[in-house]
mmCIF file of all heavy atoms in Angstrom:
data_model
loop_
_atom_site.group_PDB
_atom_site.id
_atom_site.type_symbol
_atom_site.label_atom_id
_atom_site.label_comp_id
_atom_site.label_asym_id
_atom_site.label_seq_id
_atom_site.Cartn_x
_atom_site.Cartn_y
_atom_site.Cartn_z
ATOM 1 N N ARG C 86 22.782 13.994 -17.904
ATOM 2 C CA ARG C 86 21.547 14.752 -17.943
ATOM 3 C C ARG C 86 21.507 16.071 -17.268
ATOM 4 O O ARG C 86 20.626 16.911 -17.571
ATOM 5 C CB ARG C 86 20.382 13.902 -17.381
ATOM 6 C CG ARG C 86 20.169 12.432 -18.197
ATOM 7 C CD ARG C 86 19.308 11.504 -17.481
ATOM 8 N NE ARG C 86 17.932 12.018 -17.264
ATOM 9 C CZ ARG C 86 16.814 11.334 -17.828
ATOM 10 N NH1 ARG C 86 16.999 10.199 -18.520
ATOM 11 N NH2 ARG C 86 15.744 11.825 -17.710
ATOM 12 N N VAL C 112 7.520 -4.925 -14.174
ATOM 13 C CA VAL C 112 8.360 -3.720 -13.972
ATOM 14 C C VAL C 112 9.704 -4.360 -13.529
ATOM 15 O O VAL C 112 9.878 -5.167 -12.634
ATOM 16 C CB VAL C 112 7.862 -2.813 -12.960
ATOM 17 C CG1 VAL C 112 8.999 -1.750 -12.726
ATOM 18 C CG2 VAL C 112 6.618 -2.153 -13.442
ATOM 19 N N HIS C 132 13.119 0.416 -12.446
ATOM 20 C CA HIS C 132 13.875 1.017 -13.565
ATOM 21 C C HIS C 132 12.939 2.172 -14.182
ATOM 22 O O HIS C 132 11.834 1.969 -14.490
ATOM 23 C CB HIS C 132 14.180 -0.060 -14.618
ATOM 24 C CG HIS C 132 15.337 0.327 -15.417
ATOM 25 N ND1 HIS C 132 15.137 1.372 -16.468
ATOM 26 C CD2 HIS C 132 16.653 0.017 -15.349
ATOM 27 C CE1 HIS C 132 16.371 1.533 -17.043
ATOM 28 N NE2 HIS C 132 17.227 0.823 -16.344
ATOM 29 N N PRO C 133 13.642 3.303 -14.504
ATOM 30 C CA PRO C 133 12.901 4.340 -15.119
ATOM 31 C C PRO C 133 12.344 4.073 -16.392
ATOM 32 O O PRO C 133 11.263 4.525 -16.851
ATOM 33 C CB PRO C 133 13.983 5.509 -15.315
ATOM 34 C CG PRO C 133 15.253 4.772 -15.118
ATOM 35 C CD PRO C 133 15.107 3.635 -14.285
ATOM 36 N N LYS C 134 12.838 3.156 -17.206
ATOM 37 C CA LYS C 134 12.280 2.799 -18.551
ATOM 38 C C LYS C 134 10.966 2.068 -18.463
ATOM 39 O O LYS C 134 10.242 2.123 -19.402
ATOM 40 C CB LYS C 134 13.273 1.836 -19.200
ATOM 41 C CG LYS C 134 14.589 2.527 -19.637
ATOM 42 C CD LYS C 134 14.451 3.474 -20.689
ATOM 43 C CE LYS C 134 15.657 4.264 -21.151
ATOM 44 N NZ LYS C 134 15.455 5.518 -21.775
ATOM 45 N N ASP C 135 10.660 1.576 -17.256
ATOM 46 C CA ASP C 135 9.407 0.916 -17.099
ATOM 47 C C ASP C 135 8.362 1.753 -16.310
ATOM 48 O O ASP C 135 7.255 1.351 -16.025
ATOM 49 C CB ASP C 135 9.591 -0.412 -16.383
ATOM 50 C CG ASP C 135 10.288 -1.439 -17.209
ATOM 51 O OD1 ASP C 135 10.213 -1.239 -18.382
ATOM 52 O OD2 ASP C 135 10.831 -2.351 -16.566
ATOM 53 N N MET C 136 8.804 2.973 -15.932
ATOM 54 C CA MET C 136 7.941 3.840 -15.020
ATOM 55 C C MET C 136 7.831 5.294 -15.707
ATOM 56 O O MET C 136 7.982 6.219 -14.914
ATOM 57 C CB MET C 136 8.500 3.919 -13.678
ATOM 58 C CG MET C 136 8.538 2.616 -12.886
ATOM 59 S SD MET C 136 6.984 1.878 -12.765
ATOM 60 C CE MET C 136 6.160 2.857 -11.474
ATOM 61 N N GLY C 137 7.657 5.226 -16.984
ATOM 62 C CA GLY C 137 7.412 6.564 -17.636
ATOM 63 C C GLY C 137 8.631 7.438 -17.728
ATOM 64 O O GLY C 137 8.456 8.744 -17.723
ATOM 65 N N GLY C 138 9.727 6.845 -17.569
ATOM 66 C CA GLY C 138 11.025 7.690 -17.757
ATOM 67 C C GLY C 138 11.411 8.276 -16.352
ATOM 68 O O GLY C 138 12.317 9.076 -16.263
ATOM 69 N N VAL C 139 10.745 7.784 -15.275
ATOM 70 C CA VAL C 139 11.072 8.372 -13.941
ATOM 71 C C VAL C 139 11.575 7.160 -13.053
ATOM 72 O O VAL C 139 11.009 6.155 -12.854
ATOM 73 C CB VAL C 139 9.767 8.916 -13.272
ATOM 74 C CG1 VAL C 139 10.096 9.334 -11.835
ATOM 75 C CG2 VAL C 139 9.168 10.052 -14.102
ATOM 76 N N LEU C 140 12.745 7.434 -12.503
ATOM 77 C CA LEU C 140 13.381 6.401 -11.482
ATOM 78 C C LEU C 140 12.484 6.454 -10.353
ATOM 79 O O LEU C 140 12.201 7.446 -9.713
ATOM 80 C CB LEU C 140 14.793 6.828 -11.205
ATOM 81 C CG LEU C 140 15.488 6.024 -10.181
ATOM 82 C CD1 LEU C 140 15.585 4.555 -10.577
ATOM 83 C CD2 LEU C 140 16.811 6.583 -9.809
ATOM 84 N N VAL C 141 11.965 5.184 -9.958
ATOM 85 C CA VAL C 141 11.030 5.116 -8.776
ATOM 86 C C VAL C 141 11.693 4.423 -7.668
ATOM 87 O O VAL C 141 12.294 3.305 -7.822
ATOM 88 C CB VAL C 141 9.681 4.395 -9.268
ATOM 89 C CG1 VAL C 141 8.862 3.968 -8.012
ATOM 90 C CG2 VAL C 141 8.870 5.364 -10.155
#
Side-chain angles (χ1 to χ4, degrees):
R86 299 166 65 119
V112 173
H132 204 282
K134 291 290 176 200
D135 293 337
M136 297 302 289
V139 177
L140 176 61
V141 166

